[in-house]
Amino acid sequence: MSHTKLPDNLDSLWLDCHLATMSGPERYGAIKDGALAVKDGRIVWVGPESYLPAGSIERAKETHHLGGAWVTPGLIDCHTHLVYAGSRACEFEMRLMGATYEEIARAGGGIVSTVKAVRAASPDQLYAESAPRLKAMQREGVTTLEIKSGYGLDTANEIKMLKIARRLGIDFPVTVYPTFLGAHALPPEFQGRPDAYVDLLVEEMLPAVASQKLALAVDAFCERIGFSFGQTERILAAAEAHGLKIKLHAEQLSDQKGAQLAARFKALSADHLEYLSQEGVEALAAAGTVAVLLPGAFYFLGETRKPPVEALREAGVPLALATDCNPGSSPTTSPLLMMNMACVLFGLTPAESLAGFTINAARALGLHDRIGILQQGKMADLAVWDINEPAELAYRMGGNPCRLLVKEGAALNI
Ligand code: NIG
Ligand code: FE
């Protein structure tokens, strides 16, 4: 709650609503019958409407009466591969006939088949295929999302992907956090020569991406069908040398000790984590690295091994959630469905699932001083929902109660 004086004039005032502020020790940090004031794109006051200083309405350029809706921080999707071309519906059919994700990848399908589609796509085509996915996310309350490269796997095509991510962030009222994932899979032309590809990545691709400021973070797929511990270590060291943040696909299909490696580099996050060991949990806790859980990929690949949620909780590791939007393991644009799956499949509470798409997702991007929480001084990125209680967000399987999106104080038509 704010006790400070309001500025002389306000850009907007949001009344007759309930707030899930996500701040403080209480679940949701809820304020029933709340109010929120915005100036220059930032929240300048938040609290119970009855505490609003006298004369506030007169000082506001716009007043929005929300009729009892709930307001949350705009959702943050902290792990996506949203820029891609084509689909992998045929692999879905193959998996349903008994082939596994790993078998398909080893036979030259999987990520590499999307690499072929992305390399063949013009920038405009790639943009045209990706933009509707971004719009779908916005309709479900997303105001910030991370987008990874990783389907180019050569300098020119990785740069092509990152430029599309940047263009989406310019054209749409959404903040795009770009991540370089050159180490997503071994490109076909390097078959049998993974170390030579890591040489190219470290010596040419990463310096090109860094010098053009096309990424804020570097990610890698540390896995049997991805990159080994030693190769990942080289890539993360190079990322650190370029001053980039680190994220890691770790322990998705097997325990490669990726979490320990991520922790050693003080990574922002380690993601997936189905095969995370207790040692890995402790390493993440000690490093302050966020655990990003991706229930969509777990569900879609028919996995049975769950991430060690209880151990992560006990160790105090912040839990974030994301869609992992991608054509192979999580073809979804629905954060709300991910919240439902996180509760049903992984045992998160609805409050933890909302924290996973707000405050903890902000931490997973290193943006928690700006977004993910309704608090004075934070950006006025809001989602307004037609629900009676915040648990309804995780409760439904499908359907979309998002009424309105607000980006840096501006109400958007979505
Ligand atoms: O996060 N695990 C690696 N990367 C993606 C899958 C990408 C794909 O199959 O195209 C993931 O699950
Ligand atoms: Fe992923």
Side-chain angles (χ1 to χ4, degrees), residues 79 81 88 91 101 110-111 114 151 181 184 221 249 252 272 294 297 301 324 326-330:
H79 178 145
H81 309 250
R88 305 238 292 277
E91 284 180 13
Y101 183 71
I111 293 171
T114 303
Y151 292 120
L181 176 57
H184 195 192
F221 186 24
H249 282 71
Q252 179 184 11
H272 285 288
L294 304 168
L301 296 184
D324 196 13
N326 78 71
S329 71
S330 193

Side-chain angles (χ1 to χ4, degrees), residues 2-3 9 11 73 93 98 100 107 125 136 161 173 227-228 257 295-296 330 333 363 365 385 390 406 408 414:
S2 307
H3 296 284
N9 49 58
D11 291 334
E93 286 183 314
T100 69
Q125 199 181 332
M161 288 188 72
F227 294 85
S228 69
K257 302 199 189 319
S330 193
T333 49
R363 285 196 182 111
L365 299 177
W385 309 92
V406 180
E408 294 178 17
I414 48 167

Side-chain angles (χ1 to χ4, degrees), residues 39 79 151 203 253 282 288 294 339:
K39 165 99 177 146
H79 178 145
Y151 292 120
E203 286 159 21
L253 307 170
E282 282 156 23
L294 304 168
M339 286 167 60

Side-chain angles (χ1 to χ4, degrees), residues 109-372:
I111 293 171
V112 167
S113 72
T114 303
V115 171
K116 288 181 189 139
V118 165
R119 287 180 176 179
S122 69
D124 284 345
Q125 199 181 332
L126 196 51
Y127 180 92
E129 289 198 38
S130 305
R133 290 190 279 270
L134 180 55
K135 283 187 209 156
M137 286 204 183
Q138 287 189 292
R139 283 195 295 272
E140 263 194 38
V142 169
T143 48
T144 296
L145 84 165
E146 190 247 19
I147 301 180
K148 301 176 195 293
S149 66
Y151 292 120
L153 306 188
D154 62 30
T155 309
N157 282 293
E158 285 292 302
I159 285 177
K160 178 171 88 180
M161 288 188 72
L162 290 167
K163 284 188 173 166
I164 300 294
R166 182 167 69 187
R167 200 170 134 200
L168 289 168
I170 292 167
D171 292 355
F172 289 85
V174 66
T175 302
V176 170
Y177 185 102
T179 297
F180 172 61
L181 176 57
H184 195 192
L186 196 60
E189 61 276 17
F190 279 88
Q191 207 50 55
R193 298 184 297 132
D195 292 315
Y197 180 63
V198 176
D199 290 343
L200 177 78
L201 195 151
V202 165
E203 286 159 21
E204 186 187 302
M205 297 166 78
L206 186 50
V209 166
S211 71
Q212 295 184 52
K213 297 200 184 325
L214 285 168
L216 293 169
V218 172
D219 190 350
F221 186 24
C222 184
E223 190 52 72
R224 291 188 296 236
I225 52 166
F227 294 85
S228 69
F229 184 96
Q231 289 157 354
T232 305
E233 189 175 27
R234 277 186 70 197
I235 293 159
L236 301 192
E240 189 177 55
H242 281 284
L244 294 166
K245 303 281 186 214
I246 287 165
K247 303 175 76 66
L248 193 65
H249 282 71
E251 276 68 280
Q252 179 184 11
L253 307 170
S254 62
D255 183 7
Q256 301 285 321
K257 302 199 189 319
Q260 288 89 316
L261 188 57
R264 194 187 339 134
F265 282 94
K266 296 271 177 283
L268 288 174
S269 71
D271 303 36
H272 285 288
L273 303 176
E274 278 81 348
Y275 286 80
L276 183 65
S277 64
Q278 183 58 31
E279 199 185 298
V281 170
E282 282 156 23
L284 295 181
T289 297
V290 175
V292 178
L293 307 182
L294 304 168
F298 172 88
Y299 162 80
F300 194 69
L301 296 184
E303 298 290 341
T304 49
R305 166 107 173 206
K306 300 184 186 197
V309 168
E310 191 47 50
L312 287 163
R313 264 194 205 116
E314 220 159 86
V317 178
L319 300 177
L321 292 175
T323 61
D324 196 13
C325 168
N326 78 71
S329 71
S330 193
T332 181
T333 49
S334 176
L336 296 182
L337 183 60
M338 298 305 105
M339 286 167 60
N340 177 270
M341 287 183 179
C343 294
V344 175
L345 301 175
F346 293 167
L348 266 66
T349 66
E352 284 175 322
S353 78
L354 184 56
F357 269 105
T358 54
I359 181 168
N360 290 342
R363 285 196 182 111
L365 299 177
L367 298 176
H368 45 292
D369 57 340
R370 296 167 54 83
I371 54 171

